[in-house]
Amino acid sequence: MSRVRTVEALNLAGRGLLEAGSGDGSHGLPSLLELLNERWEFVRCETERRQLELENNLSQVQDVTMEIQDLLQWLENTDLRLSSTRTVWGMPDSANERLNAHLELCVEMESKLHAYTDVRNAIHRMLERNNVARGSSTEHSMSILEQKWTSVNGKVQERKAKLTQGLGLAKEFHSTIQDLLTKMAKCEESIAELPSPSYIPESLSAQQQDHRVLVNEVNCYGERKLMVENVGSRLTDLSRKEDCDVIHNLIMTVQDRYKKLVHHTADRGKILEEVKKNARQFNESWRMLIDWITEVEQTLDTHKEIAVTHEEIKQQLTEQKDFQKLMRSKRPMYEATLKNGRSLHDRAKSSQDRQHLENLLAELKDSWDTINGKSMERQHKLEEALLFSGRFTDALQALNDWLYRAEPQLAEDMPVGGDKDMVSNLIDKHKAFQKELGKRAGCIRTLKRSVRDLTRSSTSDAHWLQEQMDELESRWEAVCKLSVTKQDRLEVALKQAEKFDELVHTFMERLSEVERVLKYGIIPEEWQGLLAFRKQHEESMSALQTQKMALEDIRCLGEELLSFCHPDSIITLKSWISVTKTRFEEVQTWADQQDQRINGALAAMEAEREEGQRLLDWVSSAEEALSLRDQDPLPEAVEHNLEVIAEHMVFMEELNRKFPEVENATKSCKRKSIPKQQISPSKRLFIKKRSALKLQPAPALPLEHLDPQTPQLTQLVSSWQRLWLLALARQTRLDQHQLTLIQMEEFANFDFNVWRRRYMQWISHLKSRILDVFRTIDRDQDGRISLKEFMDNVLASKFPTNALEMNAVASIFDTNSDGYIDYYEFVSALHPSRDPYRRPLDPDHINEEVSRQVSQCNCPRKFQVEQISANRYRFGDSQQLRMVRILRSTLMVRVGGGWTALDEFLVKNDPCRVKGRTNLKIKEKYLSPAGGSAKGLTVSRSNSSLSLYSSASAPTSPMTRRALLRRSFSGDRCIRPRSSIAALGTDLQFTPPGQDLTPSPCEEVEKLPT
């Protein structure tokens, strides 16, 4: 395109020659000019076609490159997002939320897959058509993109697999926990509903079998608990603290429930073992007695016949006496078995067990009475047989021996008192003795008849026999009277024993009720509740004093019983007296401690009320003083405002000193249960990425977690919070006023150029471009930003400035006052040419000096000077580029191997300045105004370098650069580079210094083909 002027000059010269001359040489000139123009037109068309093709290829490469860069940028952001966050598990809700957020990323990844595939296919097509050279930067960028895509896709899929695994593990953990808790709760309820241990061996065996099944079930729960703990430990390793707390709480709940279940199961097992032991002991002794009684009964039935001879009868009497001794030796075992049976009967809770024990006891008692009756009947028959055999003396001696043995047991001084069980046993023994006594009465009558018969028939021994019979009768009568007396004594002793037993059990029951109230009663924290609790305690104390009188009655009656009780009952009576005394002292101790606690709580609450009233008075006075200070206007001087701030800081220190006292006064308040508000990971990530203005967290309101129960504490908490908010608001107001005063002082000397230099240095320190800063502020990517967005972004960054300065700066940036700042206004405001202290660059000086000296030309057709690049110019029709520089304040032009001043160079090369011009007419003809129109004087630039502040890399609005390139890709003409615009335009034009006819970016956009 640099030959355009030459072709035009040749055409112009040829037409001139054709118009001026008519020689032979002019005959072939038209054909030559036509051939030249045809070839020139062909070359120009091919050049334009080639340029269009190259521009289209360039637009395609640029589109693909921009797509690659966008994909790489998205992959970098995604990789950074994945690297900055770790895989977090947790509870099902949070894990599902994180998985959904990651699935959104997977969906976005799938949507990017189409763009990635299109870019890769486009690169492959370009490589196949040789539009892109092998080993080029585009192919290298594509290989980087493929590697990055593979890496990020692998990370995304790996994260998805881990999150899916975490969600499944969380669901399994949660379901297992809930199922385990439900089953353990049901098992615990079933244990509570189990029937009481049975004293029937068959039922007890079945209960033990069921208990073994229960133990196996509890062991299975233990194994599941261990599994849950292992899963929970895996979850806590990759969970947030909030989820870890929930997981730990669930595991602790399972552990506590399992411990309770194991404890209840162990208690059930202990009770079953104890019942089994007692039942086995009773059944074994009962079985031994029953077997022995059955064997003895069979023996008695076998030896039922009474001997005839005297010796045989005496032998049978001796055997009968031995049997009675054996009976007496078995009686303690019999009594112990009966006592044990009655104890089991009292402890049995089911009617079936009580009926079974009653049947066993009745059977044992009947068997014992039966064998005892048979033994007594055989004794009586043997004595009668001995009497009838003629051995009157032996029969009389046997009766005397029996009465002699029975008389000491019926003596008046023989103790018959004691506890209820002992007296009942003594009554049973006496009843058996009375039965035997009744059967002996027949022997006495038989002896009397025998004595009468003997005295009638023989008189030699009559006197002795009568004496023996009188002695027997007197002893018999004495034994009968003692038997009746003992019966009366036993009845009286039974009444006293029953009274003592009733007193003891009633005393123990009432004492247990008082103890339950005293031991497990919770002292209320509010005043009215505490007064009611003290009244209840006074009632308990009065009931305890009543029980003290009952204890005295028990002691007196117990000592009275001990004075005439049976020796076997002394230990029992003493133990009951000791137990009742110990229990009363224990409950009395609990009552005294409870009384001390109540009195202490009342005193402390009274002190708290007084302290709360004192703090309320102080808060009211402080709030009134603070309100009076707020009514005063704020000072306008910085020093006076600092004094006010110092005065308020003294007040804040006093407020902080009072705060521990308020906390101590409100320590009895309950705490509110405030659930934690959780933010989903996606929202949290969105907030982190989108929030440009990081607000400082507001200070927590003091005592906001308290829930006061009394009106005084409620008033204290609300008053303190109100005072704290007023003090904090005044401190904030004073600080803001102080900051405003300081900013106003600084703003009085505000210089935008100083601010701009600081801002540019800050951008340079961040290693960013102005375009990057603008894109950061322009979130919606519409090519412009509002004044508020600009001010908020700068204030939110770490750049040192304030709101006053930003208001002035925003007004300077918004040159057209439309309320928005586009990219060109942003760049223009930050351009170094705004700096009046900036030292001009050499290219600017050179351009100005060249323009000034070229403008001195007065020819109709000006001398053409074209700036190719920085310090490189093309002068006139010459295609040679010459370097221009400043040397010691003189503009120098490179000529050959040396340097020449610009004015000297123009004198030698400018036609209107050339000295010794010869053919002036031809030159005037060539340089006549018809050859071109004289326009403004300027230096044409064809390939000037782009600085940081150039708009070449800026987004054009409303049509972006990508949109323009897409238009070129579709077949439209592209924007020509500046190197071709100057060459394809009209003649070189000069304008006076200070005027710039270079089209603005907006004008360039307007000139684009539509």
PDB file of all heavy atoms in Angstrom, residues 789-802:
ATOM      1  N   GLU A 789     -20.716   2.271  42.686  1.00  0.00           N
ATOM      2  CA  GLU A 789     -19.895   1.063  42.562  1.00  0.00           C
ATOM      3  C   GLU A 789     -18.412   1.411  42.622  1.00  0.00           C
ATOM      4  O   GLU A 789     -17.630   0.737  43.305  1.00  0.00           O
ATOM      5  CB  GLU A 789     -20.198   0.343  41.246  1.00  0.00           C
ATOM      6  CG  GLU A 789     -21.546  -0.353  41.207  1.00  0.00           C
ATOM      7  CD  GLU A 789     -21.814  -1.025  39.871  1.00  0.00           C
ATOM      8  OE1 GLU A 789     -21.148  -0.652  38.885  1.00  0.00           O
ATOM      9  OE2 GLU A 789     -22.686  -1.896  39.825  1.00  0.00           O
ATOM     10  N   PHE A 790     -18.029   2.472  41.928  1.00  0.00           N
ATOM     11  CA  PHE A 790     -16.625   2.878  41.921  1.00  0.00           C
ATOM     12  C   PHE A 790     -16.176   3.294  43.319  1.00  0.00           C
ATOM     13  O   PHE A 790     -15.121   2.857  43.799  1.00  0.00           O
ATOM     14  CB  PHE A 790     -16.438   4.038  40.928  1.00  0.00           C
ATOM     15  CG  PHE A 790     -15.060   4.647  40.946  1.00  0.00           C
ATOM     16  CD1 PHE A 790     -13.941   3.896  40.636  1.00  0.00           C
ATOM     17  CD2 PHE A 790     -14.885   5.977  41.291  1.00  0.00           C
ATOM     18  CE1 PHE A 790     -12.670   4.453  40.665  1.00  0.00           C
ATOM     19  CE2 PHE A 790     -13.623   6.537  41.317  1.00  0.00           C
ATOM     20  CZ  PHE A 790     -12.509   5.774  41.001  1.00  0.00           C
ATOM     21  N   MET A 791     -16.974   4.117  43.989  1.00  0.00           N
ATOM     22  CA  MET A 791     -16.594   4.587  45.323  1.00  0.00           C
ATOM     23  C   MET A 791     -16.570   3.437  46.328  1.00  0.00           C
ATOM     24  O   MET A 791     -15.626   3.320  47.119  1.00  0.00           O
ATOM     25  CB  MET A 791     -17.572   5.670  45.781  1.00  0.00           C
ATOM     26  CG  MET A 791     -17.511   6.940  44.949  1.00  0.00           C
ATOM     27  SD  MET A 791     -18.879   8.061  45.295  1.00  0.00           S
ATOM     28  CE  MET A 791     -18.642   8.376  47.007  1.00  0.00           C
ATOM     29  N   ASP A 792     -17.578   2.571  46.306  1.00  0.00           N
ATOM     30  CA  ASP A 792     -17.616   1.457  47.258  1.00  0.00           C
ATOM     31  C   ASP A 792     -16.457   0.503  47.046  1.00  0.00           C
ATOM     32  O   ASP A 792     -15.856   0.008  48.011  1.00  0.00           O
ATOM     33  CB  ASP A 792     -18.937   0.685  47.113  1.00  0.00           C
ATOM     34  CG  ASP A 792     -20.132   1.503  47.597  1.00  0.00           C
ATOM     35  OD1 ASP A 792     -19.895   2.501  48.307  1.00  0.00           O
ATOM     36  OD2 ASP A 792     -21.268   1.149  47.261  1.00  0.00           O
ATOM     37  N   ASN A 793     -16.081   0.256  45.787  1.00  0.00           N
ATOM     38  CA  ASN A 793     -14.987  -0.672  45.518  1.00  0.00           C
ATOM     39  C   ASN A 793     -13.659  -0.115  46.014  1.00  0.00           C
ATOM     40  O   ASN A 793     -12.864  -0.833  46.621  1.00  0.00           O
ATOM     41  CB  ASN A 793     -14.923  -0.967  44.021  1.00  0.00           C
ATOM     42  CG  ASN A 793     -13.877  -2.000  43.688  1.00  0.00           C
ATOM     43  OD1 ASN A 793     -12.711  -1.673  43.462  1.00  0.00           O
ATOM     44  ND2 ASN A 793     -14.277  -3.270  43.653  1.00  0.00           N
ATOM     45  N   VAL A 794     -13.416   1.154  45.761  1.00  0.00           N
ATOM     46  CA  VAL A 794     -12.140   1.748  46.197  1.00  0.00           C
ATOM     47  C   VAL A 794     -12.100   1.834  47.712  1.00  0.00           C
ATOM     48  O   VAL A 794     -11.068   1.545  48.338  1.00  0.00           O
ATOM     49  CB  VAL A 794     -11.955   3.129  45.550  1.00  0.00           C
ATOM     50  CG1 VAL A 794     -10.681   3.789  46.068  1.00  0.00           C
ATOM     51  CG2 VAL A 794     -11.893   3.001  44.042  1.00  0.00           C
ATOM     52  N   LEU A 795     -13.222   2.213  48.340  1.00  0.00           N
ATOM     53  CA  LEU A 795     -13.244   2.305  49.799  1.00  0.00           C
ATOM     54  C   LEU A 795     -13.120   0.927  50.451  1.00  0.00           C
ATOM     55  O   LEU A 795     -12.550   0.806  51.534  1.00  0.00           O
ATOM     56  CB  LEU A 795     -14.540   2.976  50.261  1.00  0.00           C
ATOM     57  CG  LEU A 795     -14.665   4.478  49.949  1.00  0.00           C
ATOM     58  CD1 LEU A 795     -16.056   4.978  50.327  1.00  0.00           C
ATOM     59  CD2 LEU A 795     -13.605   5.276  50.696  1.00  0.00           C
ATOM     60  N   ALA A 796     -13.662  -0.108  49.789  1.00  0.00           N
ATOM     61  CA  ALA A 796     -13.574  -1.459  50.355  1.00  0.00           C
ATOM     62  C   ALA A 796     -12.191  -2.060  50.188  1.00  0.00           C
ATOM     63  O   ALA A 796     -11.836  -2.999  50.901  1.00  0.00           O
ATOM     64  CB  ALA A 796     -14.615  -2.372  49.705  1.00  0.00           C
ATOM     65  N   SER A 797     -11.408  -1.555  49.233  1.00  0.00           N
ATOM     66  CA  SER A 797     -10.054  -2.062  49.043  1.00  0.00           C
ATOM     67  C   SER A 797      -9.126  -1.472  50.103  1.00  0.00           C
ATOM     68  O   SER A 797      -9.542  -0.690  50.964  1.00  0.00           O
ATOM     69  CB  SER A 797      -9.556  -1.707  47.636  1.00  0.00           C
ATOM     70  OG  SER A 797      -9.454  -0.301  47.496  1.00  0.00           O
ATOM     71  N   LYS A 798      -7.878  -1.838  50.021  1.00  0.00           N
ATOM     72  CA  LYS A 798      -6.897  -1.363  50.994  1.00  0.00           C
ATOM     73  C   LYS A 798      -6.225  -0.059  50.566  1.00  0.00           C
ATOM     74  O   LYS A 798      -5.223   0.332  51.161  1.00  0.00           O
ATOM     75  CB  LYS A 798      -5.833  -2.449  51.217  1.00  0.00           C
ATOM     76  CG  LYS A 798      -6.384  -3.721  51.822  1.00  0.00           C
ATOM     77  CD  LYS A 798      -5.291  -4.733  52.061  1.00  0.00           C
ATOM     78  CE  LYS A 798      -5.855  -6.013  52.668  1.00  0.00           C
ATOM     79  NZ  LYS A 798      -4.792  -7.022  52.909  1.00  0.00           N
ATOM     80  N   PHE A 799      -6.764   0.570  49.532  1.00  0.00           N
ATOM     81  CA  PHE A 799      -6.177   1.828  49.085  1.00  0.00           C
ATOM     82  C   PHE A 799      -6.507   2.929  50.100  1.00  0.00           C
ATOM     83  O   PHE A 799      -7.665   3.106  50.488  1.00  0.00           O
ATOM     84  CB  PHE A 799      -6.727   2.201  47.709  1.00  0.00           C
ATOM     85  CG  PHE A 799      -6.203   3.513  47.182  1.00  0.00           C
ATOM     86  CD1 PHE A 799      -4.867   3.657  46.830  1.00  0.00           C
ATOM     87  CD2 PHE A 799      -7.038   4.602  47.067  1.00  0.00           C
ATOM     88  CE1 PHE A 799      -4.382   4.861  46.354  1.00  0.00           C
ATOM     89  CE2 PHE A 799      -6.569   5.810  46.593  1.00  0.00           C
ATOM     90  CZ  PHE A 799      -5.233   5.938  46.245  1.00  0.00           C
ATOM     91  N   PRO A 800      -5.508   3.701  50.558  1.00  0.00           N
ATOM     92  CA  PRO A 800      -5.745   4.729  51.581  1.00  0.00           C
ATOM     93  C   PRO A 800      -6.459   5.944  51.004  1.00  0.00           C
ATOM     94  O   PRO A 800      -5.849   6.756  50.306  1.00  0.00           O
ATOM     95  CB  PRO A 800      -4.334   5.075  52.065  1.00  0.00           C
ATOM     96  CG  PRO A 800      -3.434   4.746  50.937  1.00  0.00           C
ATOM     97  CD  PRO A 800      -4.056   3.596  50.218  1.00  0.00           C
ATOM     98  N   THR A 801      -7.730   6.081  51.276  1.00  0.00           N
ATOM     99  CA  THR A 801      -8.521   7.233  50.861  1.00  0.00           C
ATOM    100  C   THR A 801      -9.724   7.324  51.770  1.00  0.00           C
ATOM    101  O   THR A 801      -9.869   6.555  52.721  1.00  0.00           O
ATOM    102  CB  THR A 801      -8.944   7.105  49.393  1.00  0.00           C
ATOM    103  OG1 THR A 801      -9.606   8.298  48.982  1.00  0.00           O
ATOM    104  CG2 THR A 801      -9.861   5.914  49.187  1.00  0.00           C
ATOM    105  N   ASN A 802     -10.630   8.278  51.492  1.00  0.00           N
ATOM    106  CA  ASN A 802     -11.820   8.447  52.312  1.00  0.00           C
ATOM    107  C   ASN A 802     -12.979   8.823  51.414  1.00  0.00           C
ATOM    108  O   ASN A 802     -12.829   9.028  50.203  1.00  0.00           O
ATOM    109  CB  ASN A 802     -11.596   9.480  53.417  1.00  0.00           C
ATOM    110  CG  ASN A 802     -11.081  10.805  52.882  1.00  0.00           C
ATOM    111  OD1 ASN A 802     -11.744  11.439  52.065  1.00  0.00           O
ATOM    112  ND2 ASN A 802      -9.899  11.223  53.328  1.00  0.00           N
TER     113      ASN A 802
END
